[in-house]
């Protein structure tokens, strides 16, 4: 076996890896030698930075080394275990402390030397360290330089992981293929691939680590471009349509004229972009980005009218039943009296109704089908599906989108999202996808006023809400959990309902909605809220996407620190949908700097694009969409927000690489690197 094929082998081929170790590695999604090599250190410990007791500062993190003199285990009155180890560090004794990890006593032995990292507490002359990370010093194969720290699974430790990496590098690294020539490497000041691999796992210093990072980030990005490029040139032909409708067909015009408001310029522009795409002989694949409340549903509606005008059917898929029904109602109202047949299909549609919908769908009398995942069912056949619209696309996987499209012959596809993809990412991610942006809100919208309050000010927050409600407005209260949970000290909807009901039940009507309710129950509550019969709605994130009640002007989010930025922004988007001033109060107890920054960002901006960019920075691209669908979670090293230079370098090299890379190697490499994306490309 040669070259990349070597790395396709199962990890068990590595010396020292038996069935048990193999299972431990699988838990880390490591199956092949390739996966193991790409299991990069999540951080490095710098042994040149060991501190002596004199250098340790109160409250700061320290990194030190000491011999274990004595180990003591205690239990507090509240049942918490505290393990203390007295260590001889230089010539002083310091105390390392572990909370709630009683098993430490079975691992540590007296007279052993350990290195540890933790926060310093100075109590007079005594020094305590609250341990964050520790290792036995014998686990360190190197005495100098940076030591890799890997993500582990149960049964593994850093020493074993490092040993495996060493063996892997020694045994197999020479087989790893180099895809860049020496000339190119010299020109771009790049390491050869073998040196890069050695230095990313075992760098001697930060400079070596940075050089290795650059080469491997580039390697990764080049491969990523290769796989994305695959479908760039491919333009799937549509079936020929009977008519190419004129600039604007009479029905569309009529519906537009009777709207109670005018379309915004941005909506007009985007509709025009879609119109042009839809007239082309090959399928549209367009992403519509628009901040919450920017009026994407209307754009979808006009696109479906175009589809009707050329005598094809449309499907609109939404991630929740609540949203699907809302869209359906919206369309019914918009098309009122016009000769357009619309239906809604969800998993709770009664069998008989479902049968007649399916029939109308198949004989072509149904023009528009709105629904949830229920639209993906096997027995659903369109007469001629010409347009697929997917709302809140980040809630769906690539395969689900593909499944709906496959019900037609290369239909036009419009996917909509309020979670904008930061530009750097969008450019790299999508070859063939065009992007339309609604960068304007309907006129008269006032920016939502957002305030972050610590939890101790809760009562004050609810008093504010009470006042707004007494002015005739409506409020959402968002809460992260449905039921009381022992593990987490979080408020749940039921407890909150009790609390608020006792306080305000006599003053106004309070409702509750959450994911454990049946579709019908949810619907009834939301409709009552819509009609103004409920003034305060306590909800979980079931209202996160799309719910449109323009008279709701206040939102309180409990435990706001629990939510990601994009999610907070989506939630907040439920208010500020009319022309009244709206408010959002974030109650929270941020546990770290990162969480605090998120809350501040929410307070300071209403701009979804800015928040998305920041979210990407704070969370990294892997977490960004939460769903395994974009392949970016397979990017192990490239950081879109930091590696701008690498991306520029790749731009220069890419055309050359495309021409020179061996086809066989390319296939194997991509298959190994992006197993998931590969699957999509095939579908
Ligand atoms: P989103 O982009 O978040 O999906 P929606 O499509 O739900 O936004 O629209 C938000 C609200 O704005 C709806 O009540 C909708 O009827 C209203 N709306 C849409 N376009 C306009 C417009 N041009 N002028 C005024 N209101 C509009
Ligand atoms: Mg929407």
């Amino acid at each position: 076996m040669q070259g990349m094929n070597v790395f396709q082998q199962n990890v068990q081929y590595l010396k020292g890896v038996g069935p048990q170790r193999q299972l431990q590695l699988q838990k880390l999604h490591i199956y092949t030698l390739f996966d193991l090599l790409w299991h990069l250190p999540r951080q490095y410990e710098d042994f040149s930075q060991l501190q002596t007791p004199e250098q340790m500062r109160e409250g700061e993190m320290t990194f030190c080394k000491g011999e274990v003199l004595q180990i003591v285990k205690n239990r507090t009155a509240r049942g918490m275990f505290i393990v203390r180890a007295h260590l001889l560090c230089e010539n002083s004794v310091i105390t390392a402390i572990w909370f709630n990890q009683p098993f430490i006593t079975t691992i540590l032995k007296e007279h052993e030397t350990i290195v540890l990292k933790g926060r310093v507490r100075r109590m007079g002359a005594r020094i305590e360290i609250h341990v964050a990370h520790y290792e036995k010093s014998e686990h360190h194969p190197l005495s100098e330089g940076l030591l890799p720290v890997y993500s582990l699974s149960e049964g593994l430790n850093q020493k074993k992981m490092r040993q495996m990496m060493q063996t892997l590098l020694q045994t197999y690294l020479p087989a790893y293929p180099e895809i860049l020539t020496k000339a190119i490497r010299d020109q771009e000041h790049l390491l050869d691939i073998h040196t890069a691999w050695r230095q990313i796992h075992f760098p001697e210093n930060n400079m070596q680590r940075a050089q290795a990072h650059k080469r491997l980030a580039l390697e990764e990005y080049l491969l990523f471009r290769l796989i994305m490029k695959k479908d760039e040139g491919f333009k799937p032909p549509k079936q020929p349509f009977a008519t190419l409708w004129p600039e604007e067909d009479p029905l569309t015009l009529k519906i537009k004229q009777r709207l109670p408001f005018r379309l915004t310029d941005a909506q007009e522009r985007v509709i025009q972009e879609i119109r042009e795409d839809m007239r082309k002989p090959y399928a549209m694949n367009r992403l519509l980005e628009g901040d919450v409340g920017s009026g994407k549903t209307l754009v979808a509606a006009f696109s479906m009218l175009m589809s009707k005008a050329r005598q094809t059917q449309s499907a609109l898929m939404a991630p929740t039943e609540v949203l699907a029904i809302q869209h359906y109602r919206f369309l019914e109202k918009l098309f009122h009296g016009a000769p357009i047949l619309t239906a809604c299909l969800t998993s709770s549609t009664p069998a008989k109704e479902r049968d007649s919908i399916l029939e109308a769908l198949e004989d072509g009398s149904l023009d528009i089908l709105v629904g949830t995942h229920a639209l993906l069912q096997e027995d659903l056949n369109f007469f001629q599906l010409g347009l697929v619209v997917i709302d809140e696309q980040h809630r769906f996987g690539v395969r689900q989108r593909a499944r709906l499209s496959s019900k037609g012959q290369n239909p036009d596809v419009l996917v909509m999202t309020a979670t904008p993809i930061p530009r750097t990412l969008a450019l790299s991610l999508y070859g063939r996808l065009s992007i339309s942006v609604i960068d304007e809100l309907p006129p008269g919208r006032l920016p939502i006023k957002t305030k972050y309050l610590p939890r101790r000010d809760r009562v004050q927050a609810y008093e504010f809400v009470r006042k707004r409600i007494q002015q005739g407005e409506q409020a959402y209260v968002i809460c992260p959990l449905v039921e009381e949970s022992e593990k987490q000290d979080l408020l749940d909807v039921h407890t909150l309902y009790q609390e608020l009901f006792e306080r305000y039940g006599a003053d106004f009507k309070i409702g509750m909605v959450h994911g454990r309710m049946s579709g019908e129950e949810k619907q009834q509550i939301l409709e009552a809220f819509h009609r103004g019969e409920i003034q305060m709605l306590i909800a979980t994130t079931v209202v996160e996407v799309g719910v449109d009640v323009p008279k709701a002007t206040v939102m309180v989010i409990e435990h706001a620190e629990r939510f990601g930025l994009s999610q907070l922004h989506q939630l907040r988007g439920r208010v500020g949908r009319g022309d009244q001033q709206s408010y959002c109060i974030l109650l929270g107890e941020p546990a770290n700097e990162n969480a605090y920054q998120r809350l501040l960002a929410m307070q300071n901006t209403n701009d979804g694009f800015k928040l998305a960019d920041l979210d990407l920075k704070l969370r990294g691209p892997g977490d960004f969409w939460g769903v395994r669908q974009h392949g970016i979670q397979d990017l192990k090293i490239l950081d879109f927000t930091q590696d701008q230079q690498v991306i520029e370098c790749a731009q220069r090299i890419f055309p050359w690489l495309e021409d020179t890379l061996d086809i066989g190697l390319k296939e194997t490499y991509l298959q190994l690197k992006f197993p998931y994306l590969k699957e999509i490309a095939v579908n």
Side-chain angles (χ1 to χ4, degrees):
M1 226 184 294
Q2 279 184 342
M4 201 47 101
N5 297 337
V6 170
F7 289 88
Q8 275 177 309
Q9 297 177 98
N10 195 294
V11 272
Q12 68 182 10
Y13 284 89
L14 193 69
K15 213 172 118 219
V17 177
Q20 199 189 354
R21 186 62 51 79
Q22 196 185 350
L23 280 176
Q24 293 163 352
L25 289 172
Q26 271 177 22
K27 294 216 177 87
L28 294 163
H29 302 288
I30 298 172
Y31 303 93
T32 60
L33 294 176
F34 186 88
D35 297 335
L36 182 61
L37 186 64
W38 278 90
H39 187 62
L40 301 172
R42 64 181 159 80
Q43 68 191 65
Y44 301 85
E45 297 293 8
D46 187 350
F47 274 74
S48 55
Q49 305 295 317
L50 284 180
Q51 284 189 324
T52 62
E54 294 85 66
Q55 292 168 319
M56 296 175 188
R57 296 247 147 68
E58 163 65 25
E60 287 184 5
M61 289 299 280
T62 185
F63 194 43
C64 63
K65 185 169 174 173
E67 185 192 334
V68 179
L69 299 176
Q70 194 193 8
I71 305 161
V72 194
K73 181 162 82 175
N74 286 316
R75 206 170 168 167
T76 66
R78 291 166 66 201
M80 181 161 74
F81 282 104
I82 297 185
V83 177
R84 291 188 168 79
H86 301 297
L87 307 176
L88 183 64
C89 177
E90 300 284 314
N91 291 317
S92 326
V93 176
I94 60 174
T95 307
I97 301 190
W98 288 264
F99 297 98
N100 259 343
Q101 300 171 57
F103 51 87
I104 295 283
T105 50
T106 63
I107 301 172
L108 280 190
K109 304 266 168 335
E110 287 173 13
H111 307 303
E112 266 180 341
T113 303
I114 60 171
V115 288
L116 57 89
K117 201 169 172 178
R119 201 165 291 284
V120 178
R121 291 277 171 251
R122 297 195 81 119
M123 343 274 275
R126 260 192 17 243
I127 295 181
E128 289 185 357
I129 296 174
H130 295 187
V131 181
H133 173 82
Y134 84 99
E135 283 179 44
K136 299 188 181 193
S137 142
E138 55 166 305
H139 287 186
H140 299 168
L142 308 168
S143 53
E144 295 296 318
L146 299 182
L147 258 192
V149 178
Y150 297 96
S151 300
L152 301 173
S153 59
E154 208 182 317
L156 279 173
N157 63 31
Q158 295 297 343
K159 182 185 180 187
K160 289 177 191 158
M161 197 58 139
R162 286 171 196 149
Q163 267 169 357
M164 272 188 281
M165 256 347 147
Q166 293 275 22
T167 315
L168 177 68
L169 293 176
Q170 275 158 18
T171 323
Y172 294 107
L173 189 59
Y176 202 94
E178 171 67 83
I179 60 171
L180 303 180
T181 57
K182 179 151 192 329
I184 294 237
R185 295 197 311 262
D186 288 350
Q187 179 195 315
E188 300 284 349
H189 308 287
L190 295 165
L191 294 180
D192 69 87
I193 194 75
H194 298 147
T195 310
W197 275 122
R198 269 192 300 274
Q199 291 188 10
I200 201 76
H201 285 292
F202 299 101
E204 278 167 26
N205 51 45
N206 275 316
M207 197 171 84
Q208 284 195 354
R209 188 189 50 84
Q211 287 172 330
H213 175 95
K214 182 177 169 197
R215 171 63 212 258
L216 289 171
L218 177 75
E219 185 92 356
E220 187 165 61
Y221 186 65
L222 286 170
L223 296 172
F224 189 59
R225 291 275 304 158
L226 273 179
I227 199 148
M228 285 300 163
K229 182 85 184 195
K230 285 196 120 173
D231 68 358
E232 230 167 73
F234 177 60
K235 294 183 170 169
K238 286 193 266 221
Q239 59 203 119
F241 295 115
T243 43
L244 273 185
W245 68 100
E247 225 6 66
E248 213 154 358
D249 80 297
L251 185 60
T252 308
L253 263 183
K254 192 174 142 214
I255 287 174
K256 195 163 143 186
Q257 274 158 3
R258 69 181 197 199
L259 276 177
F261 44 71
R262 290 188 45 192
L263 294 181
T264 62
D265 290 348
Q267 282 170 321
E268 289 278 10
R269 175 173 38 81
V270 166
I271 291 172
Q272 192 55 33
E273 284 167 2
I274 293 168
R275 183 193 314 279
E276 261 146 44
D277 268 10
M278 285 181 65
R279 298 175 86 165
K280 288 182 181 149
Y282 48 84
M284 164 170 86
N285 189 20
R286 189 168 279 278
L287 172 69
L288 173 58
E289 298 184 354
D291 212 340
V292 282
S294 61
K296 294 186 289 294
T297 320
L298 209 54
V299 172
F302 278 100
S303 311
M304 293 193 286
L305 278 172
M306 292 180 217
S307 173
K308 161 80 177 163
R310 66 174 186 200
Q311 291 161 19
T312 61
Q313 294 167 298
S314 305
L316 167 58
M317 185 163 72
T320 65
E321 189 167 6
V322 165
L323 196 50
I325 294 173
Q326 183 180 291
H327 283 337
Y328 172 66
R329 301 260 159 91
F330 175 83
L331 295 177
E332 285 276 88
K333 213 168 123 194
L334 186 70
F335 300 152
H336 174 74
I340 305 175
L341 198 57
T342 309
C344 184
L345 184 71
T346 71
S347 53
S348 28
T349 307
K352 237 171 128 190
E353 196 183 326
R354 182 174 188 276
D355 285 346
S356 58
I357 290 177
L358 260 54
E359 204 176 304
L361 198 60
E362 242 168 281
D363 70 21
S365 50
L366 191 67
D367 298 304
I368 295 175
L369 182 59
V370 184
T372 53
H373 294 80
L375 299 192
L376 301 175
Q377 282 152 359
E378 289 276 320
D379 58 344
L380 216 88
N381 297 308
F382 289 79
F383 178 69
Q384 196 177 45
L385 176 62
L387 172 67
V388 166
V389 184
I390 309 226
D391 195 19
E392 309 291 348
Q393 69 93 25
H394 61 285
R395 291 300 198 86
F396 293 97
V398 175
R399 261 170 296 184
Q400 290 169 320
R401 286 174 356 209
R403 184 120 60 97
L404 187 51
S405 298
S406 72
K407 290 184 181 288
Q409 262 183 49
N410 295 326
D412 289 314
V413 177
L414 179 68
V415 299
M416 312 201 288
T417 185
T419 306
I421 297 169
R423 266 157 236 287
T424 43
L425 210 53
L427 280 175
S428 323
L429 274 179
Y430 298 111
R432 205 172 62 77
L433 192 82
S434 3
I435 300 182
S436 289
V437 183
I438 308 187
D439 49 7
E440 175 186 8
L441 292 178
R445 299 272 175 86
L446 296 165
I448 302 164
K449 290 189 176 156
T450 302
K451 187 146 180 63
Y452 152 61
L453 288 178
R455 280 183 56 79
R456 60 172 184 277
D457 294 338
R458 280 183 78 225
V459 174
Q460 190 191 324
Y462 283 111
E463 273 306 293
F464 175 80
V465 177
R466 185 181 60 82
K467 286 196 194 114
R468 306 299 328 166
I469 290 179
Q470 282 172 344
Q471 302 287 318
E473 299 170 29
Q474 286 170 278
Y476 292 96
V477 179
I478 309 293
C479 176
L481 289 186
V482 179
E483 273 161 11
E484 223 176 318
S485 138
E486 285 185 5
K487 267 197 236 135
Q488 290 161 315
D489 189 15
L490 291 177
L491 257 178
D492 63 285
V493 203
H494 292 100
T495 313
L496 188 62
Y497 180 81
Q498 285 286 312
E499 179 195 332
L500 293 175
F501 185 78
E502 272 161 34
R503 208 177 309 152
Y504 300 119
D507 302 341
F508 47 79
K509 184 120 187 355
I510 305 177
M512 167 167 72
V513 62
H514 57 74
R516 300 270 172 82
M517 291 174 155
S518 74
E520 203 177 325
E521 279 176 298
K522 275 189 271 191
Q523 202 53 40
Q524 276 172 4
I525 302 278
L526 282 169
E527 273 167 28
F529 188 57
H530 209 289
R531 287 193 301 264
E533 292 161 15
I534 290 174
Q535 280 82 45
M536 177 188 267
L537 184 65
I538 302 174
T540 55
T541 52
V542 288
V543 300
E544 179 190 345
V545 290
V547 173
D548 188 37
V549 180
K551 271 179 292 178
T553 55
V554 193
M555 174 173 282
V556 177
I557 305 182
E558 292 268 3
H559 293 289
E561 78 280 356
R562 302 269 307 172
F563 299 101
L565 262 183
S566 298
Q567 201 179 11
L568 284 173
H569 184 62
Q570 279 276 356
L571 283 167
R572 176 171 63 181
R574 297 315 106 218
V575 297
R577 304 196 135 233
D579 46 18
Q580 263 179 310
Q581 178 63 56
S582 290
Y583 303 88
C584 176
I585 302 174
L586 305 168
L587 290 172
E589 218 56 76
N592 54 45
E593 183 64 22
N594 201 305
Y596 181 63
Q597 289 300 336
R598 286 205 299 268
L599 297 182
L600 278 193
M602 284 298 293
Q603 187 170 289
N604 294 335
T605 181
N606 274 306
D607 182 334
F609 280 85
K610 274 196 198 141
L611 291 171
D613 264 327
L614 193 67
D615 211 15
L616 181 70
K617 282 207 183 83
L618 293 175
R619 289 202 279 163
D623 269 353
F624 190 69
W625 281 274
V627 195
R628 276 184 77 84
Q629 59 163 318
H630 286 276
I632 41 174
Q633 70 284 326
D634 289 335
L635 295 179
K636 297 266 161 57
I637 185 162
L638 181 78
D639 179 345
F640 276 98
T641 56
Q642 310 263 306
D643 288 328
Q644 202 52 43
Q645 275 190 336
V646 168
I647 293 173
E648 281 162 25
C649 174
Q651 238 64 320
R652 289 190 293 271
I653 299 179
F654 188 68
W656 170 86
L657 184 71
E658 258 188 312
D659 290 343
T660 56
L661 191 59
D662 175 84
I663 300 269
L665 171 57
K666 176 166 129 186
E667 288 301 313
T668 328
Y669 207 167
L670 293 182
Q671 178 89 55
L672 283 167
K673 187 68 182 83
F674 299 110
Y676 182 72
L677 268 187
K678 196 66 204 309
E679 197 180 319
I680 298 161
V682 171
N683 276 340

